[in-house]
Amino acid sequence: MNDFIKSIKERDPAAKSTLSIVLTYPGVKAVFLHQIANFFHVAGFDLIARIISQTSRFFTGIEIHPGAKIGKNLFIDHGMGVVIGETSEIGNDVTIYHAVTLGGISPSIDSESQRHEKRHPTIGNNVVIGSGAQIIGPVKVGDGSRIASNAVVVKDVEENTTMVGVPAKAVKSRNKGNFTPYGVDQQVKDE
Amino acid sequence: MNDFIKSIKERDPAAKSTLSIVLTYPGVKAVFLHQIANFFHVAGFDLIARIISQTSRFFTGIEIHPGAKIGKNLFIDHGMGVVIGETSEIGNDVTIYHAVTLGGISPSIDSESQRHEKRHPTIGNNVVIGSGAQIIGPVKVGDGSRIASNAVVVKDVEENTTMVGVPAKAVKSRNKGNFTPYGVDQQVKDE
Amino acid sequence: MNDFIKSIKERDPAAKSTLSIVLTYPGVKAVFLHQIANFFHVAGFDLIARIISQTSRFFTGIEIHPGAKIGKNLFIDHGMGVVIGETSEIGNDVTIYHAVTLGGISPSIDSESQRHEKRHPTIGNNVVIGSGAQIIGPVKVGDGSRIASNAVVVKDVEENTTMVGVPAKAVKSRNKGNFTPYGVDQQVKDE
């Protein structure tokens, strides 16, 4: 837990104190409640799991399906409007801003056949996903990659790559400096 | 009602049971409360109608103006951040994902003259609108069309057309297969 | 206060009465609560300020950091999902639609050094920001400019300029007519 709080301080310049993070960060509550929802989901209590998930959505504005698999130190900043689908998988030390979707393909006819398929993204370690970005379908986003604000990703993304635009295109390899959730120009300027 | 629940199961692979849909789907609650708000709106009780609408927004994250005209079997999936404006009209069997706007033109001077004009979109039957899409102004979206995730639509859309991008452009006629809310590549690949 | 209510009626054709605006407009509540949060923030009570800000987010769906500096007559319409960062500055008579971000650069390593820097946008007077627009980094948006729906702004914007797209580009000088939050075509057509 201490590691998690420390990692948030490193990622949010506005984070003032541990007490403030525990009490007032919706993303911290949402990840905690997801662990409980996921416990009931794995145990087969689908309805209880979903009620916990929707209660969390009501209090935090963040909707994580109880079936989603989430790694260590996921930080959802601001978080309002985030939707993480049932078969999503998220690695360690990932940062997700508000209004991000890890979404599925919209079925037009045959929803039943997709009920047990992988329909949502797999996110690697140390990925940053900017506000409003939409990642749709069973695509993979490689370790260390960054998805810009309002970008729409519908294909696999390689490691350490910044994706920008609608539809999203790779800009260039990540540098070690700061990152604007949109941030092409900064990226290019720094290198 | 049964038809409506059945139609949701067909459209959402994550929907497990009727009880789960009735209890835990914010979009189902929002459409139900809209029917009550619209009743008071039509009867001329604007303030009561608006209080019901805003109460629904508080509990569901979905804001539907009491004046909006909505057809049968509207399914708003996830729904957080959806805004549906006063003079919007929605056909039957429409699916809307979270963060979608059916919005008006922003007045700079003369708000008064627009108070009784049609300012918001008209959506046909069987339309699917992906997460984050913005449909702005008194435009028409034809039956069976699909608006991709984060697309911005400011012109009329023909029937059975997929619109993608900012601003949105037609990709090609809809096929009968599945649809990624963004989904150009899948569309093209399938045909 | 009267001026503020009057300015909202001018900007929202759906606004029916003063009572309706005071009781049912989330943006009015959020700006009022921000004034209290900002009072505690300036007085050095960071945690109280943040609890007020997060309480406001829970009731309104609008997240304004207590440190943000806001001018007169800010109207946040619909408002769900709006995020306004700590070092943001907003001029007078600004209109912001739902799902707008005035955001910071995402730090990858050195969050500590940025804790006292200007990290968020400065918005001029009479600016209109369309739904879903993301304005990221310490950029300036000049007086009278308009940011289209879902646009992503990462550079300074001159006065009386309409910005459109991902990333956003200037379209042409603002005319005096109406404005679609996306609105390129309308702009061009009118002139």
Side-chain angles (χ1 to χ4, degrees):
Chain A
M1 188 71 182
N2 269 348
D3 282 357
F4 181 42
I5 300 295
K6 202 180 147 200
S7 80
I8 289 175
K9 284 188 186 169
E10 280 168 11
R11 285 181 277 181
D12 182 7
K16 301 286 190 261
S17 70
T18 301
L19 190 64
S20 173
I21 291 170
V22 171
L23 289 182
T24 72
Y25 273 61
V28 172
K29 290 186 189 106
V31 169
F32 175 73
L33 288 169
H34 172 69
Q35 287 168 349
I36 301 174
N38 183 248
F39 172 83
F40 282 101
H41 177 85
V42 170
F45 296 96
D46 279 346
L47 184 61
I48 294 175
R50 191 161 165 94
I51 287 170
I52 294 168
S53 163
Q54 287 294 312
T55 304
S56 173
R57 175 187 184 275
F58 175 68
F59 282 106
T60 68
I62 297 164
E63 180 173 349
I64 309 176
H65 192 286
K69 290 178 187 159
I70 289 180
K72 288 182 188 166
N73 297 337
L74 169 64
F75 177 35
I76 301 175
D77 202 1
H78 308 297
M80 184 68 69
V82 164
V83 174
I84 298 177
E86 181 173 18
T87 63
S88 303
E89 296 166 75
I90 298 176
N92 299 325
D93 302 302
V94 168
T95 305
I96 292 179
Y97 287 88
H98 47 290
V100 163
T101 302
L102 306 185
I105 290 172
S106 174
S108 61
I109 297 177
D110 192 9
S111 158
E112 189 57 45
S113 74
Q114 296 182 352
R115 219 166 279 270
H116 303 288
E117 273 177 23
K118 168 88 170 160
R119 306 185 308 275
H120 302 98
T122 299
I123 309 296
N125 301 320
N126 293 299
V127 170
V128 179
I129 307 177
S131 50
Q134 312 285 320
I135 309 181
I136 309 283
V139 299
K140 289 186 185 179
V141 176
D143 293 352
S145 285
R146 290 150 173 245
I147 311 301
S149 197
N150 276 2
V152 177
V153 173
V154 290
K155 291 180 180 173
D156 287 356
V157 175
E158 291 186 25
E159 296 190 358
N160 300 311
T161 303
T162 297
M163 300 295 288
V164 168
V166 183
K169 286 169 190 163
V171 183
K172 61 191 306 184
S173 297
R174 171 188 173 184
N175 62 47
K176 295 294 177 189
N178 289 309
F179 169 69
T180 311
Y182 182 76
V184 200
D185 299 288
Q186 280 77 354
Q187 291 286 331
V188 174
K189 203 164 49 186
D190 288 346
E191 288 187 353
Chain B
M1 188 70 182
N2 267 348
D3 282 357
F4 181 41
I5 299 294
K6 200 180 149 201
S7 80
I8 289 176
K9 283 188 187 169
E10 280 167 13
R11 285 181 277 180
D12 181 7
K16 303 282 191 264
S17 70
T18 301
L19 189 65
S20 174
I21 291 171
V22 172
L23 289 182
T24 72
Y25 273 60
V28 174
K29 292 185 187 109
V31 169
F32 176 73
L33 289 168
H34 172 70
Q35 288 168 348
I36 301 173
N38 183 250
F39 172 83
F40 282 100
H41 178 84
V42 171
F45 296 97
D46 279 347
L47 184 61
I48 293 175
R50 191 162 165 93
I51 288 170
I52 295 168
S53 163
Q54 287 294 310
T55 304
S56 173
R57 176 188 184 275
F58 175 68
F59 282 107
T60 67
I62 296 164
E63 180 173 350
I64 308 176
H65 192 287
K69 291 177 188 159
I70 290 179
K72 287 183 189 165
N73 297 337
L74 170 63
F75 177 36
I76 302 177
D77 201 1
H78 308 297
M80 183 68 69
V82 164
V83 174
I84 297 176
E86 182 172 16
T87 63
S88 302
E89 295 165 78
I90 299 175
N92 299 324
D93 302 303
V94 169
T95 305
I96 292 180
Y97 288 88
H98 48 290
V100 163
T101 302
L102 305 185
I105 289 173
S106 173
S108 61
I109 296 177
D110 193 8
S111 157
E112 190 57 44
S113 74
Q114 296 183 353
R115 220 167 279 268
H116 303 287
E117 274 177 23
K118 168 88 170 159
R119 306 185 309 277
H120 301 97
T122 298
I123 309 296
N125 301 319
N126 293 300
V127 170
V128 179
I129 308 177
S131 51
Q134 312 285 320
I135 307 181
I136 309 285
V139 299
K140 289 186 186 178
V141 176
D143 291 355
S145 286
R146 290 152 172 242
I147 312 299
S149 196
N150 277 4
V152 177
V153 172
V154 290
K155 290 179 181 173
D156 287 356
V157 175
E158 291 184 26
E159 296 190 358
N160 300 312
T161 304
T162 297
M163 299 295 288
V164 168
V166 184
K169 287 169 189 162
V171 183
K172 61 190 308 184
S173 297
R174 171 186 174 185
N175 60 48
K176 296 293 179 191
N178 288 310
F179 169 69
T180 309
Y182 183 76
V184 199
D185 299 288
Q186 281 77 355
Q187 290 286 330
V188 174
K189 204 163 50 186
D190 287 347
E191 288 188 355
Chain C
M1 188 71 182
N2 269 348
D3 283 357
F4 180 42
I5 299 295
K6 201 180 148 200
S7 79
I8 289 176
K9 283 187 187 170
E10 280 167 13
R11 286 181 275 181
D12 182 8
K16 302 281 188 267
S17 70
T18 302
L19 189 64
S20 173
I21 291 171
V22 171
L23 288 182
T24 70
Y25 273 61
V28 173
K29 292 187 188 106
V31 169
F32 176 72
L33 289 169
H34 172 68
Q35 288 166 350
I36 301 174
N38 184 250
F39 173 82
F40 282 101
H41 178 84
V42 170
F45 296 97
D46 279 346
L47 184 59
I48 294 174
R50 193 163 164 92
I51 288 170
I52 294 167
S53 162
Q54 287 294 312
T55 303
S56 172
R57 174 188 185 275
F58 175 67
F59 282 106
T60 67
I62 296 165
E63 180 173 351
I64 308 177
H65 192 286
K69 290 177 188 159
I70 290 179
K72 288 181 188 165
N73 297 338
L74 169 64
F75 177 35
I76 302 176
D77 201 1
H78 309 297
M80 184 67 69
V82 164
V83 174
I84 298 177
E86 183 173 17
T87 63
S88 302
E89 295 165 79
I90 299 175
N92 299 325
D93 302 302
V94 168
T95 305
I96 292 180
Y97 287 88
H98 49 289
V100 163
T101 301
L102 306 185
I105 290 173
S106 173
S108 60
I109 295 178
D110 192 8
S111 157
E112 190 57 45
S113 74
Q114 296 182 352
R115 219 166 280 267
H116 304 288
E117 274 177 23
K118 169 87 169 160
R119 306 184 309 276
H120 302 97
T122 298
I123 309 297
N125 301 320
N126 293 299
V127 170
V128 179
I129 308 178
S131 52
Q134 313 284 321
I135 308 181
I136 309 284
V139 299
K140 290 186 184 177
V141 176
D143 292 355
S145 286
R146 290 151 173 244
I147 313 299
S149 197
N150 277 3
V152 178
V153 173
V154 290
K155 291 180 181 171
D156 287 355
V157 175
E158 291 185 26
E159 296 190 358
N160 300 312
T161 304
T162 297
M163 300 294 289
V164 168
V166 184
K169 287 169 189 161
V171 181
K172 60 191 308 185
S173 297
R174 171 188 173 183
N175 62 46
K176 296 294 178 189
N178 289 309
F179 169 68
T180 310
Y182 182 74
V184 199
D185 299 288
Q186 281 76 355
Q187 290 288 330
V188 173
K189 202 163 51 185
D190 289 345
E191 288 188 353

